[in-house]
Amino acid sequence: MRSWRLASRAVAVYRATQTTGSALRPLPSTVLPSQIQNQDGVCRPMSTALLMHRDKPGNSVKDDWDFSPENTERVKEILSNYPKNYKQSASIPLLDLAQQQHGGWIPVQAMNRIAQIIGVAPIRVYEVATFYSMFNRQPVGKYHLMVCGTTPCMLCGSREIEDALLKHLGVTRGEVTKDGLFSVGEMECMGCCVNAPMIVVADYSKGSEGYSYNYYEDLTPKRVVELVQELRQGKTPKWGTQNPKRINCGPEGGNTTLLTTPKPPVCRDLDAC
Amino acid sequence: MIEVSVDGQSVQIPKGMTVLQACELVGVSIPRFCYHSRLSIAGNCRMCLVEVEKTPKPVASCAMPALPGMKIKTDTPLCKKAREGVMEFLLLNHPLDCPICDQGGECDLQDQSMVFGSDRGRFTETKRTVLDKNLGPLVKTIMTRCIQCTRCVRFAKEIAGVEDLGVLGRGGSEEIGTYVENLMTSELSGNVIDVCPVGALTSKPYAFTARSWELKSTESIDVTDAVGSNIRIDSRGPEVMRILPRLHEEVNEEWISDKARFSYDGLKRQRLSEPMIRRPDGRLEAVSWHDALESVAEAAHRVKPEEMAGIAGKLSDAESMMALKDFLNKMGCERIWSEGDGKSANVDLRSSFLLNTGIASLEYADLCLLIGTQLRWEAPLVNARLRKAVRSSRAKVASIGPPTDLNYPHQHLGTGSETLLKIAEGRHPFCAEFGRAQRPAVIVGSGLLEHSDKSAVMAALEIIVEQGKVVKDDWNGFNVLMLNAAQAAGRDLGLIQGARAHSSEIKFLYLLGADELTPADIPANSFVVYQGHHGDRSAYRANIILPGTAYTEKEGTYENTEGRTQQTSPAVPTVGDSRDDWKIIRALSEVAGVRLPYDTANGLRARMLAVSPNLLRVDDVESPVELPFPLKNQSPSAVVLSSFPKTVENFYMTDAITRASRTMAQCTAAFFGKGEERA
């Protein structure tokens, strides 16, 4: 009985994919592996990019890459936070710094340079960079917009937020707009579930000095498009909740509970004893 | 010692053991994928879950230290259920392609799913697929089969010393890879095939050629270098299908070099299968054994005894070398030597040509000076031991000679005699390291002791050994590393030019598989007899060819570089009309009228017993008692070699078998085509 149910479900899944034609459609031979990720169903959407380096202009093992003079100072500062024999602890902060310096993504030579600085084999840095989805190994826009797709945000409409963004910008997920300003990515829970749905705007337009990483919460499809328009004009919209009736993560329209000073627990209430 | 109980059976174990090791001691085997006794503990496959009393959840036994009084249970319903759950997860993304998988029949996942697997799964989504990686001509990858145990990553990092492999990505899209296009350039890369518990990493040359259950296994010894790695030859009918390592803690642990593992296809090419005589027009003509032996005997009697010479090749077994020596001695010839030894080998004391410390004991060295040796290419498994010492106890390694890439931190002191003399005279900063070391070791490439200035080199070494306290009551750190499998036994049997040897021109040359000779070494008008198994370099020059047997086809005694006697066993029949090497010489002696007094292998071994008794004590190392330095009052300043020569030009092609191997040719193209920095 059970196996019959399974089989019928598999058939149903197969039929569904046949009609939408996304999952099992053979890819044209001209599709590059880096494009495969953008087709839902063929590759898992959770993987932000191919786990393999392909040489291409701007990201080649033959390029030269180094930290800028200012950032070299910051590298020293970062390294000084860790014991000398555990320099590899600095790999995440250094990758972050490299990403800020390089306009939001890390070319392979930057990873090699970091491996050299912290004295490990390059593969150990590749492992870290591929593990964390916040490290981009493909170019992104100057403003990288990451939509939280975890359950609370999804229930509150993150799919619509993302659709509005993609439609407004005319791109697919992971693609950069023609003017190089915007790209849209997905990320996991950022801990703002009380203000769901939310996006993060990583601002790489001002280099590592003016880098900012702002949360925009309580979004609507309309508001998120307005945000993009403000960013395009060079403004920095006020971060945090976008619902004018809320203060930070407080409830809409003012508090509804805890209206008086709460009573201390009985054990602390010395007078009652 | 602490006491724990496993399934109600109490056992005393040393402190620091894991729960899994405690279970092994009792004889309870725990299923595992990621745990490997020679690699660091990862604890990521979760297959080894056991129940421990008073713990709320099953524990991963491979990563859990055993604590006093622990009550471990391995056969409870909870254990079984936990492992079944793990197995179901492992099989989620594992393809059901066992029928076309080369690992089928010897696959850990297949075996363990017979015990813990279900006949159906609950996973109805699409299985994931992973792009295959290119790891070079030896290791084939089918990465979709990978279960992310990370054994290969740890092997590459810890044993092979090439940090190329890593775990990329996370969660469901995690995969093993190199990220950048990178071949796995290690001389031990083949071992990842054995280490892989599933069919993700398999042998490329062996792919789709045989099934494990149709193979006949023969335990034997590798002869491609002087380490004498223990191997298992898997054959089907007359064909060697693959070669695998065999466990020997003292020699090769459970690894073998790529050359030992993959050069077997050379056994099927370029073979000599019938006796041949070169006619006056230069053509080789196949003849009967009788005619061939008659012609050899006739040619041998035509020349004076002092115009004869014999050279045993690098793959020769002790039996045939003994027979060759006896035969030529009976003919009155005293000029017999083993290839690679040159003509002035130092053979008086065994300690002057053996790896005295022993391969396994090199792990305990805390300082090692390599002189004129490319350890990684001459003896990959000795190098792996030294790497172990460097990793575990931070042993310091320094080298004098051509710069080579060792896969661990080391100091390159200089290229030749100048540095050696500086150290001998105490003028080098490195001398201070000897004072600090408890167990210093010196490894000298045997090639260095073959030159005309060898006594000066030896004198310099003597001073270093004396000043550096390299030899102590409980530690002998003076080592000579030999290059070839035949060398040690050859020296024990006295294959050196005797005292009565003349230096007159050679007119009759008997080559027992000796292929390293240049045309200049063979006088133009000499009569050359080549006895061997491959039509390699010397066969082109030979006047008569006598087809012998390769190491996979005979029972032969070999002595490795530390003086350990080991025997090969015949795995496949001989090719064509070829015969055992010692039998050919025995037959020849009769035709030549100087009959050798042994008719059986045991008779020949009795003769070997008289010459060198250690060659009959199989798997035994006779530790040398004397110091190797008899020559006092020699001045080291006579060392003339300004830079020590490279000994191994191409690791993958060093002898007749490997030169005939297509796989080794592919390796040469893949690994040596790129740059000059490698060996």
Side-chain angles (χ1 to χ4, degrees):
Chain A
M1 189 64 193
R2 189 165 153 260
S3 61
W4 178 84
R5 258 206 325 263
L6 282 178
S8 64
R9 192 170 153 210
V11 168
V13 168
Y14 179 69
R15 281 196 186 129
T17 53
Q18 282 294 292
T19 48
T20 56
S22 66
L24 296 170
R25 189 180 58 207
L27 289 167
S29 57
T30 50
V31 170
L32 293 171
S34 58
Q35 292 171 327
I36 293 176
Q37 55 171 327
N38 296 328
Q39 305 211 356
D40 279 341
V42 174
C43 192
R44 297 231 171 152
M46 61 180 105
S47 132
T48 50
L50 198 71
L51 299 174
M52 184 180 273
H53 168 75
R54 293 281 160 86
D55 259 19
K56 57 182 91 161
N59 187 11
S60 158
V61 287
K62 294 186 195 84
D63 296 346
D64 281 330
W65 195 93
D66 206 348
F67 285 104
S68 63
E70 308 85 70
N71 281 343
T72 309
E73 290 303 309
R74 286 180 68 183
V75 168
K76 280 185 197 148
E77 198 186 312
I78 289 168
L79 285 175
S80 72
N81 293 341
Y82 306 99
K84 281 210 171 59
N85 50 340
Y86 289 105
K87 278 200 281 193
Q88 64 265 41
S89 307
S91 50
I92 292 178
L94 290 186
L95 280 168
D96 185 35
L97 187 61
Q99 175 158 304
Q100 292 171 22
Q101 178 183 320
H102 202 78
W105 66 287
I106 310 169
V108 67
Q109 277 302 79
M111 293 189 240
N112 291 344
R113 176 73 187 116
I114 289 167
Q116 200 185 354
I117 290 172
I118 59 178
V120 298
I123 185 74
R124 301 278 96 87
V125 179
Y126 305 151
E127 282 180 330
V128 174
T130 53
F131 185 86
Y132 294 103
S133 57
M134 282 153 144
F135 291 132
N136 306 310
R137 289 166 292 110
Q138 308 287 339
V140 295
K142 285 191 172 160
Y143 300 96
H144 187 47
L145 316 172
M146 284 166 283
V147 184
C148 174
T150 309
T151 319
C153 280
M154 198 190 80
L155 292 174
C156 293
S158 70
R159 293 263 167 94
E160 287 76 33
I161 302 283
E162 192 185 1
D163 286 347
L165 271 179
L166 295 177
K167 197 174 156 213
H168 175 70
L169 295 171
V171 292
T172 56
R173 192 192 283 176
E175 198 184 335
V176 186
T177 53
K178 287 213 178 80
D179 54 7
L181 273 182
F182 294 99
S183 57
V184 180
E186 190 197 23
M187 66 169 9
E188 299 304 315
C189 185
M190 300 297 293
C192 295
C193 312
V194 74
N195 292 62
M198 63 86 69
I199 69 166
V200 173
V201 177
D203 178 0
Y204 300 107
S205 62
K206 304 178 196 74
S208 52
E209 296 78 33
Y211 170 69
S212 67
Y213 191 80
N214 289 332
Y215 290 14
Y216 294 92
E217 300 148 359
D218 289 320
L219 291 170
T220 56
K222 185 165 155 270
R223 177 62 195 147
V224 82
V225 171
E226 285 168 19
L227 274 181
V228 170
Q229 280 160 348
E230 283 176 45
L231 286 170
R232 195 176 276 142
Q233 288 157 16
K235 295 184 206 156
T236 308
K238 172 92 175 69
W239 52 264
T241 176
Q242 303 298 310
N243 183 345
K245 293 178 192 159
R246 287 183 76 171
I247 300 168
N248 296 338
C249 54
E252 189 174 327
N255 287 2
T256 54
T257 56
L258 299 175
L259 295 171
T260 55
T261 314
K263 267 168 61 178
V266 176
C267 60
R268 302 273 170 76
D269 190 1
L270 298 175
D271 295 339
C273 297
Chain B
M1 297 293 269
I2 56 172
E3 191 175 342
V4 298
S5 97
V6 179
D7 294 340
Q9 201 179 339
S10 67
V11 59
Q12 296 276 342
I13 56 162
K15 223 174 157 185
M17 261 194 170
T18 62
V19 171
L20 188 140
Q21 285 165 326
C23 295
E24 297 266 280
L25 273 188
V26 184
V28 176
S29 76
I30 308 284
R32 85 283 301 266
F33 292 111
C34 73
Y35 176 82
H36 192 282
S37 54
R38 276 169 224 284
L39 304 174
S40 64
I41 293 168
N44 54 6
C45 76
R46 316 309 289 182
M47 196 61 203
C48 62
L49 293 173
V50 296
E51 194 180 345
V52 175
E53 217 173 85
K54 293 193 184 113
T55 52
K57 295 187 289 182
V59 298
S61 60
C62 71
M64 182 68 152
L67 300 171
M70 239 182 195
K71 291 201 169 56
I72 303 156
K73 293 173 187 166
T74 65
D75 51 1
T76 56
L78 177 74
C79 271
K80 185 152 196 301
K81 209 178 152 202
R83 290 174 191 168
E84 280 172 357
V86 170
M87 178 58 78
E88 193 178 343
F89 273 120
L90 288 175
L91 292 176
L92 283 190
N93 278 318
H94 193 81
L96 193 59
D97 61 355
C98 302
I100 56 147
C101 177
D102 265 321
Q103 193 85 352
E106 46 186 5
C107 172
D108 287 1
L109 190 66
Q110 202 177 29
D111 294 348
Q112 289 175 35
S113 67
M114 298 307 284
V115 185
F116 300 107
S118 166
D119 62 342
R120 68 207 64 187
R122 286 172 281 180
F123 186 69
T124 53
E125 331 289 308
T126 324
K127 290 194 184 217
R128 74 169 192 158
T129 50
V130 182
L131 224 59
D132 291 345
K133 311 291 183 292
N134 179 12
L135 293 184
L138 301 178
V139 182
K140 180 182 169 184
T141 64
I142 303 100
M143 296 313 281
T144 305
R145 293 180 190 148
C146 177
I147 57 167
Q148 280 81 38
C149 71
T150 71
R151 272 187 190 179
C152 53
V153 175
R154 284 173 284 145
F155 175 85
K157 187 182 170 197
E158 290 158 22
I159 311 283
V162 286
E163 290 199 56
D164 283 340
L165 287 177
V167 185
L168 304 171
R170 67 191 295 179
S173 50
E174 178 178 291
E175 55 185 81
I176 304 289
T178 51
Y179 193 65
V180 289
E181 191 77 17
N182 222 346
L183 306 181
M184 193 176 171
T185 43
S186 165
E187 70 287 1
L188 296 173
S189 66
N191 293 299
V192 296
I193 298 164
D194 294 338
V195 155
C196 183
V198 296
L201 305 176
T202 53
S203 166
K204 221 172 230 181
Y206 172 71
F208 308 131
T209 55
R211 281 308 201 172
S212 60
W213 55 85
E214 54 186 22
L215 299 175
K216 183 189 84 172
S217 296
T218 313
E219 303 200 334
S220 190
I221 300 300
D222 170 52
V223 299
T224 54
D225 56 30
V227 177
S229 302
N230 286 219
I231 54 168
R232 197 182 96 191
I233 301 170
D234 280 357
S235 57
R236 187 177 58 189
E239 212 180 344
V240 176
M241 300 309 292
R242 64 172 175 183
I243 288 176
L244 297 176
R246 192 153 57 87
L247 183 73
H248 196 309
E249 292 291 348
E250 305 285 305
V251 182
N252 57 323
E253 299 180 278
E254 57 188 84
W255 321 120
I256 51 172
S257 71
D258 285 354
K259 187 163 52 169
R261 184 187 297 263
F262 292 112
S263 63
Y264 62 86
D265 67 328
L267 293 165
K268 297 167 205 162
R269 291 198 181 82
Q270 291 275 80
R271 289 301 297 267
L272 301 173
S273 58
E274 48 201 346
M276 283 185 268
I277 293 184
R278 193 177 295 279
R279 294 299 176 204
D281 61 355
R283 273 187 315 109
L284 281 167
E285 191 189 323
V287 293
S288 71
W289 268 109
H290 187 262
D291 291 352
L293 294 178
E294 288 259 278
S295 318
V296 176
E298 194 190 322
H301 283 299
R302 259 204 314 265
V303 298
K304 284 185 234 146
E306 55 268 27
E307 290 168 343
M308 295 166 79
I311 307 176
K314 49 167 63 170
L315 306 176
S316 314
D317 55 318
E319 282 83 356
S320 58
M321 283 194 285
M322 183 81 258
L324 178 70
K325 182 173 158 60
D326 280 349
F327 167 63
L328 288 180
N329 282 166
K330 278 203 166 188
M331 295 290 288
C333 163
E334 291 283 336
R335 254 197 286 187
I336 309 146
W337 68 91
S338 180
E339 191 174 54
D341 272 2
K343 293 172 191 173
S344 57
N346 213 339
V347 296
D348 291 341
L349 292 169
R350 289 184 85 222
S351 57
S352 67
F353 61 84
L354 292 182
L355 198 82
N356 298 314
T357 311
I359 296 172
S361 304
L362 264 184
E363 272 176 40
Y364 304 113
D366 53 2
L367 177 76
C368 190
L369 179 61
L370 308 173
I371 303 171
T373 169
Q374 292 162 284
L375 193 58
R376 188 172 172 192
W377 309 113
E378 287 181 20
L381 291 154
V382 176
N383 189 54
R385 291 283 183 162
L386 202 56
R387 186 181 148 75
K388 219 169 160 185
V390 172
R391 269 181 64 84
S392 64
S393 59
R394 301 188 175 277
K396 287 203 171 92
V397 180
S399 71
I400 305 176
T404 67
D405 62 341
L406 297 171
N407 45 5
Y408 39 82
H410 67 285
Q411 239 181 315
H412 185 242
L413 299 179
T415 54
S417 56
E418 200 186 331
T419 323
L420 185 68
L421 283 178
K422 258 190 184 174
I423 294 179
E425 288 162 13
R427 291 187 285 122
H428 200 282
F430 190 75
C431 295
E433 300 285 351
F434 276 105
R436 282 195 282 273
Q438 296 291 314
R439 288 179 298 277
V442 173
I443 300 181
V444 187
S446 68
L448 211 55
L449 303 174
E450 303 308 333
H451 293 279
S452 53
D453 58 349
K454 65 164 180 161
S455 49
V457 171
M458 209 61 184
L461 291 173
E462 180 177 11
I463 298 171
I464 293 174
V465 165
E466 210 165 280
Q467 296 295 319
K469 299 200 172 53
V470 172
V471 180
K472 300 175 188 178
D473 288 343
D474 56 345
W475 175 259
N476 186 347
F478 178 75
N479 300 296
V480 178
L481 181 74
M482 276 183 291
L483 266 178
N484 307 331
Q487 245 171 326
R491 292 191 190 192
D492 270 355
L493 291 172
L495 262 75
I496 43 159
Q497 307 215 32
R500 286 179 289 143
H502 295 264
S503 55
S504 53
E505 206 196 354
I506 296 170
K507 291 203 176 136
F508 176 88
L509 188 58
Y510 199 106
L511 301 177
L512 181 65
D515 283 307
E516 302 301 308
L517 301 161
T518 55
D521 295 335
I522 305 175
N525 56 351
S526 60
F527 187 88
V528 179
V529 180
Y530 180 77
Q531 175 183 340
H533 42 79
H534 272 76
D536 204 43
R537 294 171 182 171
S538 297
Y540 290 102
R541 174 62 185 83
N543 296 75
I544 291 188
I545 288 174
L546 306 174
T549 43
Y551 73 104
T552 49
E553 294 147 17
K554 64 182 164 194
E555 190 180 306
T557 306
Y558 288 88
E559 187 182 340
N560 79 353
T561 185
E562 56 173 347
R564 182 185 300 274
T565 305
Q566 303 184 104
Q567 276 183 339
T568 60
S569 327
V572 288
T574 54
V575 174
D577 219 2
S578 59
R579 295 283 186 274
D580 269 359
D581 287 290
W582 75 268
K583 286 178 186 161
I584 296 172
I585 299 167
R586 164 68 182 74
L588 176 62
S589 71
E590 190 149 354
V591 177
V594 286
R595 200 174 72 85
L596 293 174
Y598 28 77
D599 298 326
T600 59
N602 280 342
L604 175 54
R605 297 218 172 96
R607 164 75 181 136
M608 274 160 58
L609 182 71
V611 178
S612 183
N614 63 307
L615 285 176
L616 263 74
R617 290 199 280 273
V618 172
D619 204 26
D620 189 34
V621 178
E622 206 161 300
S623 38
V625 280
E626 337 80 0
L627 264 176
F629 303 108
L631 22 88
K632 289 277 175 197
N633 309 325
Q634 251 284 353
S635 162
S637 53
V639 182
V640 289
L641 222 54
S642 58
S643 62
F644 299 147
K646 268 189 178 182
T647 43
V648 182
E649 282 299 330
N650 175 358
F651 165 70
Y652 295 101
M653 287 192 169
T654 51
D655 52 55
I657 298 175
T658 49
R659 276 192 291 265
S661 159
R662 179 182 279 173
T663 315
M664 292 294 105
Q666 285 168 345
C667 287
T668 308
F671 299 133
F672 289 92
K674 286 188 295 187
E676 293 303 304
E677 79 276 8
R678 301 185 59 79

